[in-house]
């Protein structure tokens, strides 16, 4: 080994050591302060989207727990409709913006955002405020309007859905974060984290014609699962979902729910939703079907929950 | 610079200024250009006539009356396209075989005025098929939207796919979907006809088949300015005659047929003796009236008027036969279809077209709305709705639907076949009504949730109502349905969809969805 190389390697190794050491110390110190480990689910109420996101991530152990340096990250909000943020048809743009920034701050190599929209994609991206938010935060917003962007993957654990065309940015990503908005839904009854998966696939018609609820649960078994589900309930659409007709369909509740456990996320979101509009869990078939496919638990007593009110 | 060169340069410059924006407007698949560009199309003659914009007609009339058929060389995109074809044809050819390959020929008055008369009479009687096939602007529209536009889109996709590999999404992949094979054939055949006619006989289309050319020629004969021989300087070398695309210059008699001259000024620049001038028409100058050529002029005019009248009469007498054939064709086609309950439903016409009959009478199938529609739901018909609907666009909800507040097609239609609508008018314009076929619905057949139709309904005219157990099934409230096709486009039932929009042959107004009261909702607990 050349001397120069040796010096280089040792310098790098030294740097790495100090980093690790700092990390260790931080972990140690936090452990000594709070002995409890990170909760399975965090719910935050009463703040602006970015503030609530901060609180939730803090409680979960920081963004660094989910996004590592140099990773390619995809954030998948709901951008399905040509609706402005007040209408709650799409995920709150402020939340998306804050999350993109967090990921980049955590050292993500690239943060990509997309959705397979229902309305004209350009209008959705623009009216939702998400395209602008992503650009402001330094992320990349990519189109999902053409079959060209989707690649066929197999869903070995699916009951009805055995393969699907999934957006290539997700296929190439190291990690992804699922960021749905909580809404009433004419077909699936409720749309939240699991239902938000329908925006990653090309052929949704198959879902509708082959037991929608089962297909939603099936697609969630795809082996690349989101590292985190963050539910935007800053505003929820409790009626006439998923598009909504007017502001009468919307309630501003300033809430956020986050968890890596997708079934628990949706169960919690449903219980929260139930305070505004009664909806039985059996009607939202995909939640129980997801549990049957071992995607998580709908028994919230079995998990640790941290509730934060601002 | 010589006056001759200035004239031609000005003509070319103006032609570019008109042609390029119009061409790009038809190609613009990404909606980058300002929508106001459609104003350039309102001044096209046939659209202006059909839309009944009087001031444009008066302006056009005055323009021909003063300058001659400058319209054909500058404003008409089909005319300029022919000049471009001619230019391309001349590349690399010697003048004799290229730009100076023409010879004087007699006008085919019986043909051009016959067609003009027939077109006009048919149109007046509510059958504009012939106008649709001959109108230069609409033909140009069909050529660009069905041939050039897809090419540009494919080109874009190639580049976009390349850029995508470098994480560049400035260009994006577009789906080339609004073209149909018959429309490509319609555009292709007219382009082929243009190429053929131009290479063989220059502006033959404009002086035989084109109703606009024929109409303008009636005025341009008497235009104030025209190209005239300076008989003292002319050496009858024949360069001008050979360079005349309209085949309108007779060097032997030293006359220019003003009815066919399109003011391209090629002859003026070709003349080395400066013997051709663009100046006052001799029929206006007193002392030239005594010129011996005058009687010939008037005789000719008389002759052409006579032929115009005779052809007019022939045409008029043949109308009943033509319309009968047209009607028969449309009926026969529709009957041949009807094996299913919804397959022989009439076409859904764009919002703003007011009624099927009105739309049929005013649309000349330029396909501008087809290319401008942001959701690509306007598709040119072939014969599925009869000859009377040939190449006209109808709303096709196979893959997408009409955007709730979008008024693009009605804003751009130069014929006003689709009348401009405000947003408020648009959201209540009922072009059709959704019809629900329960026996085909997934919820009924499979007993599983679906609701895709209701999901896409902007007015919640299609609402999910309680059904068996936890299931919900769609129900249509026709009063608030606007027929946008959101439901139909997404319905997964096959082979036949369970919810289909049936056209309103006469558009109606839907009532606005009830305004719900905004209630303050407060939640202090998480609920879990």
């Amino acid at each position: 080994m050349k001397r120069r190389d040796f010096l280089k390697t040792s310098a790098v190794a030294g740097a790495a050591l100090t980093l690790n050491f700092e990390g260790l110390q931080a972990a140690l110190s936090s452990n000594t302060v709070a002995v409890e480990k990170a909760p399975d689910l965090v719910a935050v109420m009463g703040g602006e989207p970015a503030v609530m996101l901060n609180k939730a991530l803090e409680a979960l152990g920081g963004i660094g727990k989910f996004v590592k340096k140099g990773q390619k990250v995809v954030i998948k909000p709901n951008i399905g409709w040509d609706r402005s943020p007040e209408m709650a048809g799409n995920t709150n743009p402020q939340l998306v913006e804050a999350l993109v920034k967090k990921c980049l701050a955590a050292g993500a190599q690239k943060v990509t955002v997309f959705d397979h929209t229902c309305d004209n994609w350009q209008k959705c991206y623009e009216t939702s405020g998400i395209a602008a938010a992503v650009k402001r935060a330094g992320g990349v917003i990519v189109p999902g309007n053409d079959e060209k962007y989707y690649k066929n993957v197999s869903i070995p654990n699916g009951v009805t859905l055995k393969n699907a065309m999934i957006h290539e940015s997700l296929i190439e990503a190291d990690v992804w974060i699922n960021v749905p908005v909580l809404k009433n839904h004419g077909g699936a009854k409720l749309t939240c984290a699991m239902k938000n998966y329908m925006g990653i696939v090309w052929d949704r018609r198959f879902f509708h014609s082959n037991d929608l609820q089962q297909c939603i649960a099936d697609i969630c078994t795809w082996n690349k699962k989101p590292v985190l589900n963050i539910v935007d309930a800053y505003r929820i659409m409790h009626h006439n979902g998923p598009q909504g007709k007017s502001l009468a369909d919307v309630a501003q509740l300033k809430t956020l729910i986050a968890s890596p456990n997708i079934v628990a996320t949706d169960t919690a979101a449903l219980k929260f939703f139930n305070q505004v509009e009664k909806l039985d869990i059996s009607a939202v078939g995909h939640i129980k079907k997801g549990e049957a496919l071992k995607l998580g638990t709908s028994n919230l007593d079995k998990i640790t929950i941290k509730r934060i009110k601002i | 610079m010589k006056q001759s060169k200035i004239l031609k340069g000005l003509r070319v410059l103006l032609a570019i200024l008109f042609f390029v924006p119009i061409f790009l407007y038809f190609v613009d698949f990404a909606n980058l250009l300002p929508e106001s560009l459609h104003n350039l199309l309102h001044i096209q003659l046939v659209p202006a006539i059909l839309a009944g914009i009087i001031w444009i007609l008066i302006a056009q009339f005055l323009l021909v009356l003063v300058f001659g058929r400058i319209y054909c060389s500058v404003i008409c995109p089909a005319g300029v396209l022919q000049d471009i074809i001619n230019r391309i044809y001349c590349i690399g050819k010697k003048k004799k075989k290229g730009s100076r390959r023409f010879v004087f020929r007699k006008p085919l008055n019986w043909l051009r005025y016959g067609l003009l008369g027939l077109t006009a009479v048919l149109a007046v009687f509510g059958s504009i098929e012939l106008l649709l096939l001959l109108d230069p602007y609409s033909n140009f529209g069909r050529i660009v939207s069905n041939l050039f536009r897809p090419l540009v889109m494919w080109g874009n996709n190639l580049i976009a796919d390349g850029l995508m590999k470098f994480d560049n999404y400035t260009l994006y992949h577009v789906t080339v979907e609004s073209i149909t094979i018959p429309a490509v054939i319609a555009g292709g055949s007219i382009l082929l006809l243009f190429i053929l006619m131009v290479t063989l006989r220059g502006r033959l289309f404009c002086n035989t088949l084109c109703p606009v050319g024929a109409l303008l020629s009636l005025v341009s004969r008497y235009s104030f300015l025209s190209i005239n021989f300076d008989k003292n300087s002319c050496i009858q070398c024949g360069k001008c005659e050979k360079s005349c695309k309209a085949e309108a210059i007779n060097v032997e008699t030293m006359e220019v047929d003003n009815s066919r001259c399109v003011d391209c000024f090629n002859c003026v620049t070709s003349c080395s003796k400066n013997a051709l001038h663009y100046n006052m028409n001799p029929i206006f100058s007193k002392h030239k009236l005594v010129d011996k050529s005058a009687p010939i002029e008037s005789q000719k005019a008389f002759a052409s008027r006579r032929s115009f009248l005779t052809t007019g009469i022939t045409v008029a007498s043949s109308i009943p036969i033509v319309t009968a054939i047209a009607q028969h064709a449309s009926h026969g086609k529709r009957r041949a279809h009807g094996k299913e309950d919804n397959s022989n439903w009439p076409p859904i016409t764009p919002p703003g077209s007011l009624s099927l009959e009105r739309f049929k009478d005013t649309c000349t199938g330029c396909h501008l709305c087809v290319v401008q529609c942001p959701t690509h739901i306007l598709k040119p018909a072939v014969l599925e709705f009869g000859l009377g609907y040939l190449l006209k666009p109808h709303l096709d909800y196979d893959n997408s639907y009409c955007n709730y507040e979008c008024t693009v097609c009605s804003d751009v239609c130069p014929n006003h076949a689709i009348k401009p609508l405000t947003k408020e008018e648009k959201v209540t314009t009922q072009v059709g009504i959704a019809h629900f076929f329960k026996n085909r619905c997934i919820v009924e057949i499979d007993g599983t949730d679906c609701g895709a139709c209701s999901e896409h309904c902007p007015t919640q005219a299609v609402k999910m109502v309680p059904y068996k157990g936890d299931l919900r099934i769609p129900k249509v409230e026709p009063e608030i349905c606007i027929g946008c096709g959101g439901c139909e486009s997404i319905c997964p039932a096959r082979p036949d969809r369970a919810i289909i929009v049936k056209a309103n042959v006469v558009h109606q107004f839907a009532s606005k969805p009830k305004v719900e009261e905004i209630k303050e909702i407060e939640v202090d607990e998480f609920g879990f």
Side-chain angles (χ1 to χ4, degrees):
Chain A
M1 188 186 272
K2 283 182 189 161
R3 194 164 50 168
R4 197 169 40 182
D5 282 350
F6 171 71
L7 282 174
K8 250 194 208 165
T9 358
S10 48
V12 171
L17 263 176
T18 49
L19 273 177
N20 272 349
F21 180 64
E22 272 170 16
L24 249 173
Q25 213 173 31
L28 276 172
S29 67
S30 69
N31 263 356
T32 48
V33 175
V35 188
E36 51 173 338
K37 67 180 193 29
D40 297 316
L41 185 142
V42 180
V44 190
M45 185 182 276
E48 288 306 296
V51 176
M52 294 195 291
L53 175 72
N54 262 339
K55 293 272 177 200
L57 287 174
E58 206 175 284
L60 287 165
I63 185 76
K65 213 176 131 188
F66 306 100
V67 173
K68 303 281 186 290
K69 211 174 166 187
Q71 281 185 327
K72 284 185 199 159
V73 182
V74 168
I75 291 170
K76 163 64 179 76
N78 183 338
I79 330 177
W81 306 98
D82 181 11
R83 288 283 186 275
S84 56
E86 302 73 48
M87 291 290 294
N90 309 303
T91 305
N92 189 299
Q94 292 170 31
L95 175 62
V96 178
E97 183 173 355
L99 187 59
V100 173
K101 281 184 184 158
K102 283 268 170 204
C103 293
L104 288 171
Q109 179 205 329
K110 175 180 144 194
V111 181
T112 307
V113 180
F114 81 93
D115 191 14
H116 179 188
T117 65
C118 297
D119 282 331
N120 175 288
W121 70 281
Q122 281 150 314
K123 289 204 160 200
C124 291
Y125 278 18
E126 193 192 316
T127 314
S128 67
I130 290 181
V134 171
K135 278 177 201 149
R136 271 200 305 273
V140 189
I141 180 129
V142 303
N145 60 309
D146 193 274
E147 191 171 349
K148 174 86 193 165
Y149 296 113
Y150 297 79
K151 302 228 154 55
N152 200 23
V153 297
S154 122
I155 314 289
N157 298 321
V159 175
T160 307
L161 187 76
K162 292 292 182 188
N163 46 50
M165 300 274 285
I166 291 183
H167 198 280
E168 60 182 13
S169 66
L170 263 182
I171 293 172
E172 288 160 13
D174 297 305
V175 292
W176 70 285
I177 302 173
N178 187 16
V179 196
V181 58
L182 180 60
K183 290 189 292 178
N184 156 257
H185 196 281
K189 316 286 166 57
L190 185 81
T191 167
C192 195
M194 292 178 74
K195 175 76 175 64
N196 197 35
Y197 260 84
M198 278 183 84
I200 74 170
V201 297
W202 175 249
D203 186 15
R204 290 193 276 241
R205 207 178 74 200
F206 182 89
F207 283 55
H208 282 281
S209 51
N210 292 280
D211 191 350
L212 180 67
Q213 304 283 10
Q214 185 61 56
C215 285
I216 294 173
D218 287 353
I219 187 69
C220 296
T221 64
W222 179 43
N223 57 18
K224 190 182 281 184
K225 302 201 171 57
V227 286
L228 200 55
N229 304 285
I230 303 174
V231 179
D232 166 31
Y234 186 79
R235 296 188 187 90
I236 71 161
M237 184 186 289
H238 51 83
H239 263 107
N240 292 321
Q243 269 201 74
K245 278 198 297 187
S246 68
L247 284 174
D249 302 324
V250 180
Q252 183 165 327
L253 304 179
K254 294 192 173 186
T255 299
L256 182 143
I257 298 165
S259 167
N261 184 328
I262 198 165
V263 178
T265 305
D266 276 3
T267 311
L270 172 67
K271 289 192 171 181
F272 179 70
F273 187 85
N274 259 324
Q275 300 181 103
V276 180
E277 189 69 27
K278 203 77 201 122
L279 184 61
D280 201 70
I281 193 162
S282 66
V284 194
H286 59 263
I287 299 183
K288 287 286 185 188
K289 285 179 178 3
E291 189 171 27
L293 288 168
K294 302 195 166 54
L295 290 169
T297 175
S298 67
N299 185 349
L300 298 186
D301 299 334
K302 276 190 180 170
I303 59 169
T304 53
I305 299 176
K306 183 160 184 178
R307 298 170 183 83
I308 303 166
K309 286 193 183 173
I310 299 171
Chain B
M1 207 197 279
K2 283 200 308 191
Q3 185 222 8
S4 62
K5 286 201 172 157
I6 295 175
L7 278 174
K8 188 179 169 181
L10 200 63
R11 185 264 296 176
V12 173
L13 178 74
L14 285 173
I16 292 171
L17 286 180
F18 276 93
F19 183 83
V20 173
I22 295 176
F23 180 84
L24 291 179
Y25 195 48
F26 272 96
V27 168
D28 181 24
F29 58 88
N31 293 323
L32 297 173
L33 295 174
E35 210 185 279
S36 55
L37 268 181
H38 65 80
N39 290 319
L40 278 178
L41 306 175
H42 286 299
I43 60 171
Q44 299 296 321
L45 204 57
V46 170
I49 292 171
L50 288 170
I53 308 177
I54 303 290
W55 72 267
I56 290 178
L57 297 178
I58 293 172
Q60 295 285 18
F61 177 77
L62 292 176
L63 190 74
V64 203
L65 199 60
V66 176
F67 297 102
R69 282 172 61 180
I70 190 91
Y71 178 93
C72 304
S73 279
V74 169
I75 300 173
C76 175
V80 180
L81 179 69
Q82 291 177 70
D83 285 350
I84 294 172
I85 295 170
N86 184 46
R87 187 71 199 235
I88 295 170
Y89 177 78
C90 292
I91 291 173
K93 285 196 179 67
K94 287 199 177 132
K95 279 186 179 166
K96 218 176 160 185
K97 296 212 159 179
S99 59
R100 288 188 191 157
R101 66 183 186 280
F102 306 105
V103 283
F104 172 77
R105 292 185 209 245
K106 282 186 180 152
L108 296 166
N109 283 343
W110 57 273
L111 182 57
R112 59 172 166 166
Y113 296 124
L115 275 175
L116 172 65
L118 187 66
T119 314
V121 173
L122 280 178
V124 168
F125 282 86
S127 163
I128 65 161
E129 290 81 0
L130 193 59
L131 183 58
L132 177 142
L133 290 174
L134 295 178
D135 171 34
Y137 158 70
S138 302
N139 274 311
F140 174 80
R142 290 196 289 270
I143 291 173
V144 181
S145 24
N146 298 305
L147 300 173
F148 289 104
R149 190 168 185 269
L151 285 180
V152 175
M153 288 167 92
W154 278 315
N156 165 79
N157 285 355
L158 274 180
I159 304 172
D161 294 350
L163 286 177
M164 206 165 75
K165 295 201 172 78
F166 301 100
D167 259 346
N168 187 326
Y169 292 91
T170 341
L171 296 183
Y172 50 86
H173 202 97
V174 285
T175 319
V176 188
E177 56 186 344
S178 46
I179 54 159
T180 55
I181 291 166
V184 172
I185 293 171
S189 47
I190 193 73
L191 181 63
L192 213 66
L193 186 75
F194 278 170
I195 293 173
L196 226 89
M197 285 185 139
V198 167
T199 51
L200 295 175
R201 300 277 306 273
R203 288 288 199 113
L204 186 63
F205 176 86
C206 312
N207 283 322
T208 52
L209 301 180
C210 179
V212 177
L215 184 65
L216 294 178
S217 77
L218 293 173
V219 184
S220 74
R221 289 166 192 278
Y222 311 108
S223 71
F224 181 68
L225 291 170
S226 66
I227 292 170
N228 303 298
F229 275 87
D230 175 353
K231 290 177 182 169
N232 299 324
S233 319
C234 176
I235 54 164
Q236 293 188 312
C237 69
K239 278 185 199 163
C240 54
E241 181 177 319
K242 289 184 187 121
S243 64
C244 181
K245 295 174 296 191
E247 300 174 327
I249 298 179
N250 186 345
V251 83
E252 265 174 48
T253 60
M254 293 199 228
E255 278 171 346
V256 182
D257 179 359
N258 272 328
S259 77
R260 284 183 290 157
C261 169
V262 292
D263 287 343
C264 73
F265 306 119
N266 284 357
C267 54
V268 183
T269 47
S270 77
C271 182
S272 48
K273 296 292 169 196
N274 202 17
L276 282 162
H277 298 280
Y278 184 56
N279 53 21
M280 198 198 276
N281 196 329
I283 58 170
F284 290 100
S285 51
K286 273 181 195 162
H287 63 273
K288 286 214 173 151
L289 264 178
V290 278
D291 195 297
K292 65 177 165 116
S293 67
I296 305 170
E297 266 295 324
S298 61
Q299 234 175 17
K300 265 195 206 157
F302 177 71
S304 73
R305 226 172 302 159
R306 195 173 48 191
S307 70
F308 176 65
L309 282 175
T310 45
T311 33
I313 292 163
T314 331
V315 166
S317 56
S318 65
I319 295 161
I321 306 165
V322 178
T323 40
I325 293 170
Q327 276 170 359
H328 180 78
S330 64
H331 277 268
K333 192 68 202 170
R334 245 182 255 174
R335 231 179 281 128
H337 244 295
K339 61 172 189 288
E340 259 191 299
D341 45 352
N342 58 284
S343 58
N344 55 356
W345 284 359
I348 306 169
T349 56
S353 57
L354 306 183
S355 76
L356 176 61
E357 280 314 308
R358 189 186 162 277
F359 188 62
K360 271 162 96 173
D361 291 350
T362 40
C363 169
T364 49
C366 73
H367 297 180
L368 181 66
C369 57
V370 175
V371 299
Q372 291 286 326
C373 174
T375 50
H376 314 296
I377 55 165
L378 286 166
K379 301 254 163 76
V382 198
L383 286 169
E384 62 267 44
F385 305 113
L387 194 62
Y389 212 79
L390 181 72
L391 292 172
K392 295 181 209 286
H394 68 108
L395 273 63
D396 178 334
Y397 299 139
D398 260 6
N399 296 312
S400 196
Y401 51 95
C402 182
N403 257 359
Y404 189 49
E405 290 185 333
C406 177
T407 55
V408 168
C409 58
S410 70
D411 293 338
V412 301
C413 178
N415 292 14
H416 285 182
I418 315 171
K419 282 202 160 178
L421 293 176
T422 61
K423 258 189 195 180
E424 289 68 37
E425 288 166 337
K426 164 66 201 297
V427 297
T428 51
T429 296
Q430 188 186 56
V431 297
I433 297 172
H435 281 58
F436 179 53
F437 300 85
K438 193 173 156 194
N439 57 334
R440 301 179 191 166
C441 180
I442 301 286
V443 180
E444 168 73 12
I445 294 175
D446 296 345
T448 56
D449 280 321
C450 179
C453 50
S454 164
E455 195 178 316
H456 283 70
C457 180
T459 63
Q460 286 301 299
V462 182
K463 213 173 170 61
M464 301 306 284
V465 296
Y467 195 51
K468 298 168 187 162
D470 280 329
L471 289 176
R472 282 159 175 267
I473 201 157
K475 184 172 180 256
V476 183
E477 205 178 312
E479 298 76 39
I480 57 169
C481 174
I482 56 166
C484 73
C487 51
E488 179 180 333
S489 71
I490 205 72
C491 176
R494 293 293 185 278
D496 297 308
R497 298 181 196 215
I499 193 158
I500 300 173
V501 177
K502 182 176 187 178
N504 282 344
V505 176
V506 177
H507 290 186
Q508 305 292 325
F509 279 101
S511 5
K512 273 200 165 165
K514 265 175 237 136
V515 183
E516 284 161 53
E517 220 180 299
I518 302 175
K519 279 176 267 175
E520 273 300 315
I521 296 174
E522 275 185 43
V523 170
D524 301 323
E525 292 306 318
F526 290 106
F528 54 87

